[in-house]
Amino acid sequence: VTGRHRRIRIELAYDGTDFAGWQVQPDLRTVQGTVETALSRILGGATARLRGAGRTDAGVHARGQVADALVDTRLDDPELLIALASLLPADVRPVDLRMVPDDFHSRKLALSKTYVYRLDRSRWGNPLDARYTLHYPYEIDRDAMQEALGKLPGRRDWAGFAGSASAVESTVRDLAVASYEEPGPDSGRFTFRADGFLNHMVRNLVGTLLDVARGRFPPGRIDEILRTGDRTLAGPTAPARGLCLEEVFYPPLLEAGEERRA
Amino acid sequence: VTGRHRRIRIELAYDGTDFAGWQVQPDLRTVQGTVETALSRILGGATARLRGAGRTDAGVHARGQVADALVDTRLDDPELLIALASLLPADVRPVDLRMVPDDFHSRKLALSKTYVYRLDRSRWGNPLDARYTLHYPYEIDRDAMQEALGKLPGRRDWAGFAGSASAVESTVRDLAVASYEEPGPDSGRFTFRADGFLNHMVRNLVGTLLDVARGRFPPGRIDEILRTGDRTLAGPTAPARGLCLEEVFYPPLLEAGEERRA
């Protein structure tokens, strides 16, 4: 299987701190632009268009972003991966690269995505976590938090948690997981899994849940926002730095694309 | 106990990436200089001299650096800590602050220190760990590594592992702990505890141990370096970014300095 013209699926991890987000923008350093430039060099100058599963905002990180591109090269997948790894900077790294069927589409075919939002709960802030967490040394009412989280899972209209900039056709999404854990004495971690997320949805959910956890809102505020779709009832948008796109899930057959084609 | 003129002990954590090391140097951003400037502002412009337990190099991190200073202020310890936390940047944070006896000395009275050196063993490098680890995706011969590590503990002359810049009176130190673990599938961690460390000693030990682990040297090379004190027999100095000063240990009575004085 050394077809020259083929579609590849690239899994990527990045530290979003020094990127203006995923999507290409003129004169700004973006993840998509950085990877496209590296691919283009490998392809001898030919344009490479990368399609990402999720358009992460400026400052948002990823451990398992997925993107795909059409490439025309004599390099096989392992060679392409080595070339890409050698050209990419330290803050965006390939995790995996492999051929997929021509009809693979990172965003459209994604079944679900998992985002994690991390808190640093130490009193004065841990400088070795500062880029990847929200420093939140305040009390957390875990009962109120769990009650609020319990109201979230399901197929719902999330308009009240969508950023004002969004202009999508539908604001209905199916949220499978919404949880909060404390993996260590000084850390907190929200996990959200859904078939899709609206612009700023996770950060607005976190901002609202933290307001519930510190007693600013009762847990019932969640029902109210979901019912009315009124963004002004929700909490603030939590900062980007705590957010990370952890994993994108695809149907098993697409995951095994290479064998299917062979 | 609200004595105005008193000695305080400050525990600090920092991300060393953007510092030219601990020690004050003209025109460079150092941890000592940054904390002294903040203290001086709190003390109404009076000079504050900070004595650190260990002079970490440029790029080396700390979770538990300890320093002490004489201060003359009406603020009590909790107030001083809040003021310091509010003035320090995100990459150097206070962990603790309290009064100690006048004769406390962060470096001279330290019984021992623990340094940890972290490896990122993922194939292509994890961008969310890049500032705090050495990316080392190569094979590690754990038997050879354990054999080499077993030769280290004890009161020995470490001249062969000292940086060339060191001009200390004695190169004898007592190493209590030298270990290597793999806390996860993609991570490695060296731990060293001693009553003191020579300049670059931990990084030279790590460079040499990794050369043993990849078969460049046999474990017996350690004996040879210790016997001859010949630096040219050792491996390269491992990069600063993987190194972190984790903890400094003091005698119990000094730890409880405030009660002793009361």
Side-chain angles (χ1 to χ4, degrees):
Chain A
V1 196
T2 50
R4 293 168 58 106
H5 194 78
R6 66 194 197 275
R7 187 168 293 280
I8 54 165
R9 169 200 194 281
I10 310 172
E11 195 175 325
L12 294 162
Y14 45 87
D15 175 338
T17 312
D18 298 329
F19 289 104
W22 167 265
Q23 197 172 9
V24 165
Q25 295 178 69
D27 303 324
L28 290 177
R29 184 174 188 256
T30 67
V31 182
Q32 184 189 0
T34 301
V35 180
E36 284 183 352
T37 301
L39 269 181
S40 175
R41 277 188 61 185
I42 296 168
L43 302 175
T47 302
R49 282 289 296 170
L50 206 61
R51 298 190 302 207
R55 291 177 186 169
T56 52
D57 285 329
V60 174
H61 316 290
R63 285 173 201 269
Q65 169 75 286
V66 175
D68 65 274
L70 273 173
V71 296
D72 189 357
T73 172
R74 237 177 285 209
L75 299 178
D76 67 14
D77 294 348
E79 289 165 342
L80 207 47
L81 177 51
I82 290 169
L84 195 59
S86 74
L87 287 175
L88 288 176
D91 56 354
V92 49
R93 305 297 304 157
V95 177
D96 182 53
L97 183 154
R98 53 191 146 109
M99 192 172 79
V100 282
D102 286 344
D103 56 358
F104 181 82
H105 192 297
S106 299
R107 183 175 52 80
K108 291 186 183 166
L109 298 182
L111 290 179
S112 65
K113 291 173 206 150
T114 298
Y115 277 94
V116 162
Y117 195 98
R118 291 183 173 80
L119 305 181
D120 170 6
R121 305 200 60 223
S122 68
R123 184 68 189 91
W124 303 108
N126 178 352
L128 294 113
D129 265 345
R131 293 164 77 93
Y132 312 114
T133 57
L134 167 64
H135 182 220
Y136 192 83
Y138 315 106
E139 275 300 304
I140 284 187
D141 179 337
R142 296 203 51 169
D143 290 340
M145 172 84 93
Q146 293 303 336
E147 190 184 336
L149 281 166
K151 296 171 182 298
L152 296 174
R155 188 171 171 79
R156 305 179 188 286
D157 186 331
W158 300 92
F161 291 103
S164 46
S166 36
V168 287
E169 55 304 336
S170 163
T171 48
V172 173
R173 296 289 185 277
D174 193 351
L175 187 76
V177 173
S179 66
Y180 174 74
E181 296 152 308
E182 295 185 349
D186 283 343
S187 58
R189 184 172 64 189
F190 292 94
T191 304
F192 299 94
R193 180 170 170 174
D195 58 355
F197 290 89
L198 306 175
N199 184 28
H200 284 186
M201 178 173 153
V202 176
R203 290 161 60 189
N204 289 340
L205 281 168
V206 169
T208 307
L209 288 163
L210 289 177
D211 272 358
V212 168
R214 71 186 176 98
R216 193 181 155 217
F217 299 148
R221 175 61 72 102
I222 300 285
D223 301 313
E224 212 179 335
I225 301 165
L226 287 171
R227 196 178 62 241
T228 61
D230 184 354
R231 173 74 188 88
T232 65
L233 295 175
T237 305
R241 83 178 77 91
L243 187 59
C244 183
L245 172 53
E246 293 284 324
E247 200 172 353
V248 187
F249 301 90
Y250 295 94
L253 266 176
L254 289 171
E255 288 285 353
E258 210 156 351
E259 289 113 74
R260 202 176 77 170
R261 169 180 271 213
Chain B
V1 193
T2 50
R4 293 168 58 108
H5 195 78
R6 66 195 197 274
R7 187 168 294 280
I8 53 165
R9 169 201 195 281
I10 310 173
E11 195 175 325
L12 295 163
Y14 45 87
D15 175 337
T17 311
D18 298 328
F19 288 104
W22 167 264
Q23 197 172 9
V24 164
Q25 295 178 68
D27 303 326
L28 290 176
R29 184 175 187 257
T30 66
V31 181
Q32 184 189 0
T34 301
V35 180
E36 284 182 352
T37 301
L39 269 181
S40 175
R41 277 189 61 186
I42 295 167
L43 303 175
T47 301
R49 284 289 297 171
L50 207 59
R51 298 190 301 207
R55 290 178 185 167
T56 52
D57 285 329
V60 174
H61 316 289
R63 286 173 203 271
Q65 170 76 286
V66 175
D68 65 273
L70 273 172
V71 295
D72 188 358
T73 171
R74 237 177 285 209
L75 299 177
D76 66 16
D77 294 348
E79 288 165 343
L80 207 46
L81 177 51
I82 289 169
L84 195 60
S86 75
L87 287 175
L88 287 176
D91 57 354
V92 50
R93 305 298 304 158
V95 176
D96 182 54
L97 185 154
R98 53 190 146 109
M99 191 173 79
V100 282
D102 286 344
D103 56 358
F104 181 83
H105 191 298
S106 300
R107 183 174 54 78
K108 291 187 182 165
L109 298 182
L111 290 178
S112 65
K113 291 172 207 151
T114 297
Y115 277 95
V116 162
Y117 195 97
R118 291 182 173 81
L119 305 181
D120 170 7
R121 305 202 58 225
S122 68
R123 182 70 189 87
W124 303 107
N126 178 352
L128 294 112
D129 265 346
R131 294 162 77 92
Y132 313 113
T133 57
L134 166 64
H135 181 219
Y136 192 82
Y138 315 107
E139 275 301 305
I140 284 187
D141 179 337
R142 296 203 52 169
D143 290 342
M145 172 84 93
Q146 292 305 334
E147 191 184 335
L149 282 165
K151 297 171 181 299
L152 296 174
R155 187 171 170 81
R156 304 178 188 285
D157 186 332
W158 300 93
F161 291 102
S164 46
S166 34
V168 286
E169 54 304 339
S170 162
T171 47
V172 173
R173 297 288 185 278
D174 193 351
L175 188 75
V177 173
S179 66
Y180 174 73
E181 297 152 307
E182 294 184 350
D186 283 343
S187 58
R189 185 172 63 190
F190 291 94
T191 304
F192 299 94
R193 181 171 169 172
D195 58 355
F197 291 90
L198 305 176
N199 185 27
H200 284 188
M201 178 171 153
V202 176
R203 291 162 60 189
N204 289 339
L205 282 168
V206 169
T208 307
L209 289 163
L210 290 177
D211 272 359
V212 168
R214 69 186 177 100
R216 193 181 155 218
F217 299 149
R221 176 61 73 100
I222 300 285
D223 301 314
E224 212 179 334
I225 301 166
L226 287 171
R227 197 177 60 242
T228 62
D230 184 352
R231 174 75 188 87
T232 65
L233 296 175
T237 306
R241 83 179 76 90
L243 187 59
C244 184
L245 172 54
E246 293 284 324
E247 200 172 353
V248 187
F249 301 90
Y250 295 94
L253 265 176
L254 288 170
E255 289 284 354
E258 213 158 349
E259 288 114 73
R260 203 177 78 171
R261 170 180 270 212

